[in-house]
Amino acid sequence: MNTYWLEHAWLGDRVADGVLVDLVPPDAPGPVPLDEELGDGATAPVPPGHLLAVRTGVPAPPPGAVRLPGLTLPGLANAHSHAFHRALRATAQVGSGTFWTWRETMYRCAAALTPDSYHALARAVYAEMALAGITAVGEFHYLHHQPDGRPYDNPNAMGEALIAAAADAGIRLTLLDTAYLSSGFGAEPDRHQRRFSDTTADAWAERASLLRGDSHTLIGAAVHSVRAVPADQLATVAAFARHRGAPLHVHLSEQRAENEACLAATGRTPTRLLADHGVLSPRTTGVHNTHLTDEDIALIGASGTGTCVCPTTERDLADGIGPAPRLQRAGSPLSLGSDSHAVIDLFEEARALELDERLRTRTRGHWTAAALLRAATADGHAALGRPEAGTLAPGAPADLTTLALDTVRTAGAPPALGGETAVFAASAADVTHVLVGGRVIVRDGVHVRLPETGRALAEAVAAVRDGGGR
């Protein structure tokens, strides 16, 4: 048994002082019986790498316990990532333009990647996420084939590069293998998009079905957007996810131009189109959900479809501010993503959700710190197919993120306001320790597997800009 003493811990709705957690070691030979009885009187075995016991009110660390000073949270969940977009940071900030001109820069980056260069870049990006306290990521993956559209000898070479990268960086991955078949409402993929396309949803499903998960990897699915998957093939993607009980994500109404094109092509809004073809469900997450009608909001909420908001990307691309409060009230759980990785900082994403809404409405207090932390933890993990994660409780995965409370950003507030400090003052730079499945991934602010993460990022980005090593 491994034991950690948490100086302060976030227990979902409050900060507790002096919390002792026991966890089953990740290399234990098998499950260990849970100390506490469940509601039905039975005991549940706890697998390796999970929390066995959580005890509050322990004033000092007992002998043998590892001390974690500061505030320990459940590991954060980044529900929407395009790992290769990290190579665009700063480069995409030169000049002006729109989402659509930014997309041309993104296409040039995508064309340069090979399985090897993608692995190197993603490994460094996922290490950067770990340093930011992120223990699980949803990778919205559509770089499937060679730049000319021909499959690799291994048709999932690019997806497997991402799986290996996450394993190397030590974080959990939900690989959201993405159907991307059209350049817009039935049009053939353009030259930039050929490597994205499997030509049909059936061919996409055949290839995606070859992917295999493991203890740290789940295989999910995604519809890139209503413009990229013809309406008569949406049901195929939805059925793939439904039959596997897998999460299904979709870019939804990020841009007004997409809404207008969808109405012109189908006579329906993107949300209505997805609803009519069985895409909306409690396993589904709409990413962005920015430009919605009242009917759209009702459809999303009534179906239990989640909403992943990515404020730092949405403001970077001038997408707009979506109706997140109305969506949540309608029944749509909120999660957070760093998307294009303009920054990788889930505290900033959580804070921006509230602060952007304050700018839009000129009122304060739309979400509490507890609600925003839930979006960054439990609801984010649920969106990635891990509903058991995102809590410090017996039986949950031993995924922990510790935040220093004595930095120039976090010092001064009482520990009881640790939730408010985390959301409204802290940054990724204040993360000191991270455990994933009971394994230490970050110690004293350094990634233990990739200690020179900045150098690894610089080299990987340079390789992509120089042509991906081809």
Side-chain angles (χ1 to χ4, degrees):
M1 183 187 306
N2 294 343
T3 301
Y4 288 82
W5 182 82
L6 317 180
E7 184 181 22
H8 311 288
W10 179 253
L11 299 184
D13 58 356
R14 63 186 176 90
V15 174
D17 301 329
V19 176
L20 198 67
V21 297
D22 296 326
L23 59 93
V24 183
D27 54 357
V32 174
L34 185 66
D35 289 344
E36 298 178 355
E37 288 194 345
L38 301 178
D40 62 1
T43 59
V46 177
H50 286 62
L51 298 176
L52 184 63
V54 178
R55 295 187 286 275
T56 60
V58 181
V66 177
R67 183 176 183 271
L68 293 182
L71 175 67
T72 296
L73 309 159
L76 307 181
N78 186 355
H80 189 65
S81 163
H82 301 289
F84 76 95
H85 288 190
R86 176 61 178 80
L88 302 176
R89 189 181 294 179
T91 301
Q93 312 306 324
V94 177
S96 57
T98 66
F99 168 86
W100 306 102
T101 55
W102 168 89
R103 191 172 70 157
E104 294 303 312
T105 304
M106 180 270 287
Y107 283 156
R108 289 194 294 274
C109 176
L113 288 159
T114 67
D116 287 344
S117 64
Y118 203 12
H119 171 266
L121 177 61
R123 180 184 62 172
V125 173
Y126 295 153
E128 182 182 357
M129 289 185 194
L131 289 167
I134 293 163
T135 58
V137 59
E139 183 62 37
F140 201 100
H141 166 56
Y142 53 84
L143 270 66
H144 302 308
H145 307 300
Q146 299 181 62
D148 62 2
R150 288 181 298 126
Y152 289 100
D153 291 340
N154 171 2
N156 283 306
M158 294 294 269
E160 290 177 8
L162 292 167
I163 292 172
D168 289 347
I171 70 172
R172 301 185 191 274
L173 174 71
T174 297
L175 185 68
L176 299 160
D177 196 280
T178 303
Y180 194 134
L181 310 173
S182 166
S183 64
F185 298 98
E188 290 295 314
D190 66 24
R191 61 186 178 86
H192 300 296
Q193 299 161 341
R194 289 174 189 153
R195 75 179 313 180
F196 308 162
S197 178
D198 291 291
T199 70
T200 68
D202 285 334
W204 164 82
E206 182 178 357
R207 178 190 52 74
S209 67
L210 301 175
L211 287 161
R212 294 291 179 265
D214 53 37
S215 60
H216 274 223
T217 306
L218 296 178
I219 305 301
V223 170
H224 179 274
S225 55
V226 293
R227 69 178 185 273
V229 177
D232 61 358
Q233 299 187 59
L234 289 169
T236 299
V237 185
F240 177 95
R242 183 171 62 254
H243 293 159
R244 289 161 175 77
L248 173 64
H249 288 213
V250 54
H251 289 134
L252 179 55
S253 288
E254 181 179 5
Q255 296 291 324
R256 291 188 186 278
E258 180 179 80
N259 288 0
E260 293 163 2
C262 188
L263 283 166
T266 71
R268 287 170 281 188
T269 67
T271 301
R272 178 80 260 179
L273 188 67
L274 294 173
D276 289 349
H277 289 275
V279 176
L280 303 186
S281 79
R283 288 187 310 278
T284 304
T285 296
V287 181
H288 304 302
N289 292 2
T290 304
H291 303 288
L292 303 175
T293 67
D294 291 346
E295 182 192 31
D296 293 340
I297 293 170
L299 285 169
I300 291 168
S303 65
T305 297
T307 296
C308 178
V309 189
C310 308
T312 65
T313 291
E314 289 152 4
R315 70 192 184 200
D316 181 48
L317 299 181
D319 288 343
I321 302 170
R326 293 181 62 199
L327 283 161
Q328 189 172 47
R329 288 195 296 271
S332 180
L334 299 182
S335 56
L336 299 168
S338 63
D339 193 0
S340 70
H341 313 313
V343 298
I344 294 177
D345 189 335
L346 263 289
F347 301 110
E348 173 62 22
E349 303 293 347
R351 154 164 74 244
L353 185 60
E354 167 67 23
L355 298 187
D356 287 356
E357 189 64 19
R358 291 182 186 184
L359 283 175
R360 191 181 70 82
T361 63
R362 297 182 297 282
T363 61
R364 304 175 77 218
H366 302 276
W367 289 278
T368 63
L372 294 168
L373 284 174
R374 180 175 179 84
T377 56
D379 286 346
H381 288 289
L384 298 180
R386 302 181 188 277
E388 73 284 0
T391 183
L392 300 183
D399 297 353
L400 311 178
T401 292
T402 300
L403 192 69
L405 295 180
D406 57 358
T407 74
V408 292
R409 290 165 294 276
T410 61
L417 296 179
E420 287 74 13
T421 298
V423 171
F424 293 107
S427 79
D430 300 313
V431 172
T432 58
H433 286 72
V434 176
L435 276 72
V436 179
R439 298 187 189 278
V440 177
I441 302 302
V442 174
R443 179 182 289 113
D444 296 326
V446 177
H447 196 284
V448 298
R449 300 184 182 182
L450 200 65
E452 295 187 18
T453 306
R455 179 177 177 179
L457 281 163
E459 291 175 350
V461 169
V464 173
R465 290 179 179 167
D466 291 342
R470 290 186 293 135

